[in-house]
């Protein structure tokens, strides 16, 4: 028994797999949908049979499997239990019956813990999984047990909870079994055993073939009981918390009414019902009842009030099944199939179409097939004969279900079962699309066709031939959404085609006058144009879209498309062409594109100057005023007064608010003032500044402009800024003498020029105006003029009365000036005298030097070499002082010092090389040359002393100026550093 569950492939399965492989190999190729239908591995069959390597010591009478627990009845008195999780550990129990009783049926609960053994002598035994002792159920004696309805909610390993038991005489009992030891007076495992209902057929008691208990919503319970020809339903509620009291209340609720049942005429002697549960601990979803007329199949609906069964249908037996000689023995239900067990074979019938999809014939050597059971936990189907045990693995049962649903036109379900198989999904979608097309549901057909891999041209032509533009549009839209961004050619084709379809539709709706649908279509078209997914394609092919829109005369959508493409130039041009200048300006102001402002401002300025200037001002520094001058100048010459005033307003904004310094802007504003607003010209010139560096306009241009228009005051102001004071005074005298006076005082640093300017004013006053008083006022206004300067301007016969005071005042000033000069001369003489005395005193001054004194620089005795003594007390050798002072001298003084040293060396050499002469005359000449050379040498030494000995090197300014210099010269730092290493 060590290899009892070892799996091996039966020879029939091997042959079947080979046949399937051959069929698959012939289907390799490219289908109409574009998918390659090829499989790299052999596909295992749905129902894969395996024989258990087990030879029973005796004949197998009955077998029960649940929750991985397998129980077999062998021979007359032997029971064998196997835990499928531990197949090597067998458990064999002897029933210990000495009479002729045989095992009639085995019943194993959903937990695999409770085993009921029905005996042919109308007795029943109980065996718990955790014990080896078989116990008799005394209360059950006298009843042949045909079926058991287990309690899935309350059952556990030690207690079954309330269960239902059906007998061969049509009686339904309620019972409860406990595996724990009872009290002293009650040692039986059966807690109670009471009748709750009885079933009949044709007025006589009928055996209860099957029982099933299920719980629905809101504590509602459903009980299904079957006889040979009838299927009963009992529905009732159990009060919450009273489930332990059992199901008697449900049957009592149905006593006043006839029980709900379905009856079929044919009786084949027994019936069996099977249920399919998708997950553990959930309620069954479907059922299959094997009875005389066939298999009743349907769904279980726990929401309905009157009946649990829904969508029922009867699948009749195939012709080879004869109820007299070859009637079905057992049934098992899976998700999409029910398996019928015959005496020599197993048939699998699809619950969707009733077709036989699998048939497995068992050889005679194994004997007659006895029973088929399905383990609801493991999902395996078990079949046994007297000498062998088989099991079926169900693998990927739903693999071909999509084809059946597709053939039944249940496309949603078909797609549900082929989500992970794109080639199958494509076939389902193609079939659904074709079905919708044939039923004239063109929009649905288009949506499905768009998801298939069928040829694009065929589908498009199909809709074109059917004149279904809306469906074609829907197909193209879906196809477009499914394309990848890399498929640019296909995207371009679809976008262009869709644009044409939309435009055709809009034109047709507009001609028909259907405004509501027209607006909906337009909104849909605009949404298509603004879709970000294919924005790149629309942008790259915008010229084609523009041509399509123009060919249909659809200007509104062209404007919308231009906005979407951010082609604002086209939008503004469109508004301008239709004289909608305000809309054009709104687009400009909204998007703030400087280039578009420069381009369209000339046109807009001509029609709405005020609004344009307001927009310019709002843009502020984002616009370059210099680039707007062409628009301003183009219309300021021939435009209306409003255009001119708005031009001046913007120029003033640029100058005063934006502080623009461009010369062109200021020159243009100046020209506008000169031509159209002269009252503001002089004010502008005064505010612009009085110095040439502050001026941003061209002075020469301003002077020429003011001169052309005869603005003399403005010209005077420009002359003053240009510092052409003579021209300013000459021109100012033509306007106002006071203006000329203000110009004459401007050259403050040039007294000669000021005097000249004032003389011009005086001459003008005397000769032109002939006003002596004003001439005298000129004398008082300018202190540079004297009476003698202006007397030549007067006529010869002018009386002196007007000049008397001026002449007297002038003479007094001369006398006062002479006295001041005398006093200055006396002070200078006294100062020279004191200086001479100080010099004489300095010559006689001396200092005492001790013989022990040392040089402050080298610390050697001072008297060994020539030295210097300073008033501060520091004493230096000549050469030491020279070395200390030289590095701190300026470059000029260093070069001068080198030059003096060379001269000193030259004079010294000449003195040494000179020989004494023999003649008397020569001696006189030599002494004269010697005296000249000595004087020159002393003068050089004096110059050298002035440079190096002008002050003490330790107390003077040189040492103070050298405080920020490093102690070691940077050029010598590396050498000094290396000397320390």
């Amino acid at each position: 028994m060590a290899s009892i569950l070892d799996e091996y492939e039966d020879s029939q399965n091997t042959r079947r797999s080979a046949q399937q492989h051959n069929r698959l190999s012939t289907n390799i190729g490219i289908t109409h949908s574009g998918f390659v239908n090829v499989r790299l591995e052999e596909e295992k069959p749905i129902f894969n049979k395996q024989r258990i390597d087990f030879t029973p010591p005796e004949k197998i009478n009955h077998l029960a499997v649940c929750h991985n627990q397998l129980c077999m009845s062998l021979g007359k008195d032997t029971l064998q239990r196997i835990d499928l999780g531990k197949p090597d550990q067998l458990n064999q129990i002897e029933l210990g019956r000495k009479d002729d009783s045989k095992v009639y049926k085995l019943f194993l609960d959903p937990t695999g813990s409770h085993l009921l053994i029905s005996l042919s002598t109308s007795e029943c035994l109980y065996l718990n999984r955790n014990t080896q002792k078989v116990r008799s159920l005394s209360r059950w004696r006298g009843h042949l047990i045909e079926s058991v309805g287990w309690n899935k909610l309350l059952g556990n390993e030690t207690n079954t909870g309330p269960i239902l038991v059906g007998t061969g005489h049509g009686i339904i009992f309620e019972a409860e079994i406990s595996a724990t030891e009872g009290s002293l007076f009650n040692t039986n495992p059966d807690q109670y055993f009471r009748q709750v209902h009885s079933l009949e057929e044709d007025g006589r008691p009928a055996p209860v073939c099957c029982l099933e208990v299920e719980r629905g919503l809101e504590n509602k319970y459903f009980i299904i009981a079957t006889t040979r020809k009838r299927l009963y339903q009992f529905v009732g509620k159990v009060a919450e918390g009273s489930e332990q009291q059992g199901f008697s209340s449900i049957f009592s609720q149905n006593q006043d009414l006839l029980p709900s049942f379905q009856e079929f005429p044919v009786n084949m002697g027994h019936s069996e019902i099977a249920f399919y549960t998708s997950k553990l601990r959930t309620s069954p979803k479907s059922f299959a009842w094997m009875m005389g007329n066939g298999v009743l199949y349907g769904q279980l609906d726990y929401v309905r009030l009157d009946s649990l069964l829904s969508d029922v249908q009867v699948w009749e037996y195939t012709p080879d099944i004869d109820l007299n000689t070859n009637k079905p023995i057992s049934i098992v239900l899976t998700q999409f199939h029910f398996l019928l067990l015959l005496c020599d074979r197993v048939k699998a019938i699809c619950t969707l179409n009733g077709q036989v999809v699998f048939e497995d014939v068992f050889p005679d050597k194994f004997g007659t097939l006895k029973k088929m059971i399905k383990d609801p936990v493991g999902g395996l189907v078990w079949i046994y004969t007297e000498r062998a045990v088989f099991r079926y693995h169900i693998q990927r049962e739903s693999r071909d279900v999509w084809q059946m649903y597709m053939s039944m036109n249940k496309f949603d379900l078909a797609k549900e079962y082929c989500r992970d198989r794109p080639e199958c999904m494509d076939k389902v979608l193609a079939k659904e699309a074709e079905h919708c097309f044939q039923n004239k549901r063109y929009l649905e057909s288009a949506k499905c066709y768009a998801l298939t891999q069928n040829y694009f041209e065929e589908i498009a032509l199909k809709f074109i031939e059917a004149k279904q533009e809306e469906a074609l549009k829907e197909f193209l839209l879906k196809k477009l959404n499914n394309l990848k961004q890399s498929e640019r050619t296909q995207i371009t084709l679809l976008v262009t085609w869709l644009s044409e379809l939309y435009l055709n539709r809009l034109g047709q709706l507009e001609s028909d006058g259907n405004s509501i649908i027209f607006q909906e279509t337009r909104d849909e078209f605009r949404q298509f144009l603004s879709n970000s997914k294919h924005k790149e394609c629309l942008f790259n092919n915008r010229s084609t879209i523009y041509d399509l829109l123009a060919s249909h005369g659809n200007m509104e959508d062209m404007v919308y498309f231009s906005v979407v493409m951010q082609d604002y130039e086209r939008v503004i041009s469109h508004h301008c062409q239709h004289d909608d200048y305000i809309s054009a300006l709104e687009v400009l102001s909204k998007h703030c594109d400087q280039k578009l402002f420069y381009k369209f401002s000339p046109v807009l300025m001509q029609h709405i100057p005020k609004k344009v200037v307001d927009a310019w001002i709002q843009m502020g520094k984002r616009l370059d005023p210099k680039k707007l001058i062409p628009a301003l100048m183009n219309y300021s010459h021939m435009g209306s007064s409003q255009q001119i005033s708005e031009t001046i307003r913007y120029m003033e904004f640029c100058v005063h608010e934006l502080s623009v310094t461009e010369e062109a802007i200021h020159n243009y504003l100046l020209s506008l003032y000169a031509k159209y607003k002269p009252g503001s010209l002089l004010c502008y010139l005064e505010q612009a500044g009085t110095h040439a560096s502050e001026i941003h306009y061209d002075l020469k241009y301003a002077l020429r402009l003011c001169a052309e228009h005869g603005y003399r005051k403005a010209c005077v102001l420009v002359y003053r800024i240009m510092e052409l004071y003579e021209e300013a005074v000459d021109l100012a005298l033509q306007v106002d003498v006071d203006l000329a006076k203000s110009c004459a005082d401007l050259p403050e640093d040039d007294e000669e020029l000021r005097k000249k300017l004032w003389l011009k004013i005086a001459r003008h006053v005397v000769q032109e105006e002939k006003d002596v008083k004003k001439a005298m006022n000129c004398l008082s206004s300018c202190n540079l003029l004297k009476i003698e300067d202006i007397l030549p301007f007067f006529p010869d016969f002018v009386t002196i009365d007007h000049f008397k005071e001026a002449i007297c005042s002038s003479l007094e000033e001369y006398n006062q000036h002479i006295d001041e000069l005398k006093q200055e001369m006396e002070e200078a003489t006294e100062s020279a005298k004191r200086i001479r005395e100080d010099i004489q005193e300095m010559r006689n001054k001396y200092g005492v030097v001790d013989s022990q004194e040392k040089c402050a620089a080298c610390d050697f005795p001072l008297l060994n070499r020539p030295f210097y003594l300073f008033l501060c007390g520091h004493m230096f050798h000549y050469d030491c002082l020279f070395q200390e002072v030289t590095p701190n001298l300026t470059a000029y003084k260093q070069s001068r010092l080198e030059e003096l040293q060379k001269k000193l060396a030259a004079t010294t050499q000449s003195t040494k090389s000179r020989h004494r002469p023999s003649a008397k005359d020569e001696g006189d000449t030599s002494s004269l040359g010697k005296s000249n050379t000595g004087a020159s040498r002393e003068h050089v030494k004096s110059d050298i002393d002035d440079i190096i000995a002008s002050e003490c090197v330790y107390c003077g300014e040189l040492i103070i100026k050298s405080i920020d210099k490093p102690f070691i010269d940077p050029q010598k730092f590396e050498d000094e550093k290396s000397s320390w290493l």
Side-chain angles (χ1 to χ4, degrees), residues 503 538-539 541-555 557-568 570-571:
L503 291 171
L538 288 168
F539 182 80
N541 299 277
R542 59 187 182 278
S543 59
T544 304
I545 306 299
Y546 283 136
D547 293 340
L548 286 174
L549 292 166
S551 65
H552 286 268
N554 195 334
M555 293 297 106
D557 289 321
M558 180 182 288
V559 172
Y560 177 82
F561 180 67
S562 301
V563 173
V564 172
M565 294 290 103
Q566 298 182 355
D567 191 0
Y568 304 117
R570 187 182 293 270
V571 178

Side-chain angles (χ1 to χ4, degrees), residues 162-227:
I163 60 174
L164 295 178
V165 179
T167 68
H169 293 88
I171 304 175
I172 300 177
F173 290 90
E174 184 182 32
E176 183 176 358
I177 302 174
S178 176
T180 58
E181 294 293 336
S183 63
L184 180 63
F185 302 100
N186 184 16
T187 59
N188 295 327
D190 48 339
Q191 303 298 308
Y192 62 89
F193 189 77
R194 56 176 176 261
Q195 180 178 347
V196 292
H197 199 73
S198 61
L199 303 180
E200 294 183 353
E201 275 185 6
D202 302 329
R204 293 176 299 182
V208 183
C209 299
C210 295
L211 279 172
E212 182 73 16
V213 180
E214 294 296 337
R215 181 184 178 184
L217 302 176
E218 299 177 353
N219 288 333
K220 183 183 289 186
Y221 279 83
F222 300 88
I223 299 174
I224 296 178
T226 64
T227 61

Side-chain angles (χ1 to χ4, degrees), residues 869-906:
L869 172 63
F870 292 95
L871 294 176
C872 61
H874 287 111
M875 292 168 280
F876 300 92
H877 290 129
Y878 168 77
D879 54 345
C880 294
L881 181 63
F882 187 89
Q883 292 177 359
E884 291 288 337
V885 172
T886 302
N888 297 315
L889 295 176
T890 62
Y892 171 75
K893 286 188 177 182
Q894 286 183 1
S895 62
R896 174 65 178 160
L897 187 60
E898 290 179 1
E899 182 181 353
L900 291 173
Q901 281 185 312
K902 291 179 182 179
K903 286 184 179 181
L904 181 61

Side-chain angles (χ1 to χ4, degrees), residues 29-217:
I30 299 177
T31 63
H32 182 68
S33 65
F35 283 100
V36 178
N37 185 16
V38 60
R39 295 170 183 170
L40 299 179
E41 297 181 358
E42 295 182 14
E43 191 171 25
K44 295 182 179 180
I46 296 175
F47 304 100
N48 185 18
K49 183 178 72 174
Q50 296 175 345
R51 182 189 173 188
I52 304 301
D53 187 12
F54 168 65
T55 303
E58 298 181 73
K59 292 182 179 180
I60 300 175
N61 298 322
H62 295 280
L63 183 143
V65 179
C66 199
H67 207 276
N68 279 338
Q69 298 295 319
L70 185 145
C71 298
M72 289 185 293
S73 172
L74 303 177
K76 176 184 176 183
D77 202 34
T78 303
L79 186 68
Q80 198 166 53
R81 293 188 300 183
I82 303 173
D83 185 352
L84 299 179
K86 303 174 183 178
D88 298 335
Q89 300 177 8
L90 300 180
N91 184 11
Q92 186 167 317
I93 299 173
E94 299 295 333
L95 298 181
R97 305 293 295 184
K98 298 181 180 180
D99 53 12
D100 294 335
S101 62
K102 297 180 181 179
V103 175
Y104 179 65
K105 283 186 178 181
L106 296 179
F107 303 98
L108 190 60
D109 80 311
T111 66
S113 301
H114 308 283
L115 177 65
L116 293 178
I117 306 166
S118 176
L119 302 178
S120 58
T121 56
S122 299
E123 294 181 81
C124 191
L125 304 178
Y126 169 73
L127 178 64
N128 188 268
R129 182 173 64 181
N130 298 324
T131 64
Q132 298 289 325
K133 182 180 179 181
V134 179
R135 303 171 69 182
S136 175
L137 303 177
S138 58
R139 292 188 177 92
W140 297 38
R141 188 173 291 117
H143 301 284
L144 183 63
I145 306 303
E146 290 282 351
S147 58
V148 177
W150 298 103
N151 193 324
K152 301 174 185 176
L153 181 65
L154 299 177
N156 53 47
E157 292 186 358
T158 60
N159 195 291
T160 61
I163 60 174
L164 295 178
V165 179
T167 68
H169 293 88
I171 304 175
I172 300 177
F173 290 90
E174 184 182 32
E176 183 176 358
I177 302 174
S178 176
T180 58
E181 294 293 336
S183 63
L184 180 63
F185 302 100
N186 184 16
T187 59
N188 295 327
D190 48 339
Q191 303 298 308
Y192 62 89
F193 189 77
R194 56 176 176 261
Q195 180 178 347
V196 292
H197 199 73
S198 61
L199 303 180
E200 294 183 353
E201 275 185 6
D202 302 329
R204 293 176 299 182
V208 183
C209 299
C210 295
L211 279 172
E212 182 73 16
V213 180
E214 294 296 337
R215 181 184 178 184
L217 302 176

Side-chain angles (χ1 to χ4, degrees), residues 669-874:
L669 180 59
L670 200 63
S671 66
L672 291 174
Y673 280 148
K675 294 178 183 177
Y676 304 108
K677 202 174 180 181
S680 302
L681 177 61
L682 193 60
C683 180
Y684 166 75
L685 292 175
E686 290 174 351
Q687 292 179 354
T690 57
H691 197 274
S693 60
E694 302 173 354
I695 304 302
H696 300 300
Y697 56 84
D698 189 349
L699 290 168
K700 295 181 180 179
Y701 173 74
L703 182 63
R704 184 171 67 251
L705 194 66
C706 295
E708 288 178 357
H709 293 84
Y711 303 136
R712 293 181 179 179
K713 285 188 177 181
C715 289
V716 172
L717 185 57
V718 175
Y719 276 134
R720 288 171 57 178
I721 297 171
M722 297 174 69
E723 298 183 355
L724 299 174
Y725 301 115
E726 293 187 35
E727 290 82 353
V729 170
D730 291 340
L731 187 57
L733 290 174
Q734 300 178 18
V735 180
D736 185 12
V737 175
D738 292 334
L739 180 61
K741 289 180 180 180
S742 65
C743 294
D745 283 334
L746 290 177
E748 298 177 353
D749 299 334
D750 193 346
E751 292 185 354
E752 184 179 350
L753 179 58
R754 283 177 61 199
K755 184 176 182 180
K756 183 178 179 181
L757 296 177
W758 278 103
L759 286 174
K760 283 191 175 191
I761 296 172
R763 177 184 291 176
H764 174 80
V765 171
V766 173
Q767 295 180 353
E768 299 295 334
E769 298 185 5
K770 298 180 180 180
D771 190 340
V772 178
K773 281 188 175 182
K774 281 189 177 181
M776 295 300 103
N777 289 335
C778 289
L779 290 176
S780 61
S781 298
C782 180
N783 55 2
L784 299 178
L785 292 182
K786 304 297 179 182
I787 185 64
E788 59 268 24
D789 296 326
I790 64 173
L791 282 177
F793 302 147
F794 290 97
D796 295 337
F797 302 100
V798 177
T799 61
I800 200 171
D801 295 338
H802 297 288
F803 312 115
K804 181 178 180 180
E805 294 180 1
I807 293 172
C808 293
S809 176
S810 179
L811 291 174
E812 289 178 358
E813 288 181 2
Y814 281 133
N815 288 333
Q816 185 179 357
H817 184 59
I818 290 171
D819 293 339
E820 290 176 355
L821 290 176
K822 285 182 179 180
Q823 187 177 356
E824 289 178 359
M825 290 175 64
E826 291 175 356
E827 291 176 355
T829 303
E830 183 67 24
S831 181
K833 181 181 178 181
R834 286 198 298 269
I835 290 172
R836 284 194 294 271
E837 291 175 355
D838 290 342
I839 293 172
Q840 187 63 32
E841 184 180 356
M842 286 297 295
R843 286 177 178 174
N844 297 329
K845 197 170 184 179
Y846 65 92
V848 178
V849 178
D850 191 8
S851 61
Q852 303 298 324
E853 293 290 343
K854 296 182 180 181
C855 175
C858 65
D859 204 26
F860 280 93
L862 186 68
L863 300 179
N864 292 346
R865 298 196 299 274
F867 63 91
Y868 288 94
L869 172 63
F870 292 95
L871 294 176
C872 61
H874 287 111

Side-chain angles (χ1 to χ4, degrees), residues 377-397:
V377 178
L380 301 177
V381 177
W382 297 78
I383 298 176
Y384 65 94
T385 67
E386 291 182 349
R387 296 186 293 272
V389 178
F390 302 89
R391 65 179 176 186
Y392 283 92
H393 288 269
I394 303 174
Q395 298 176 340
R396 295 183 60 238
E397 185 182 2

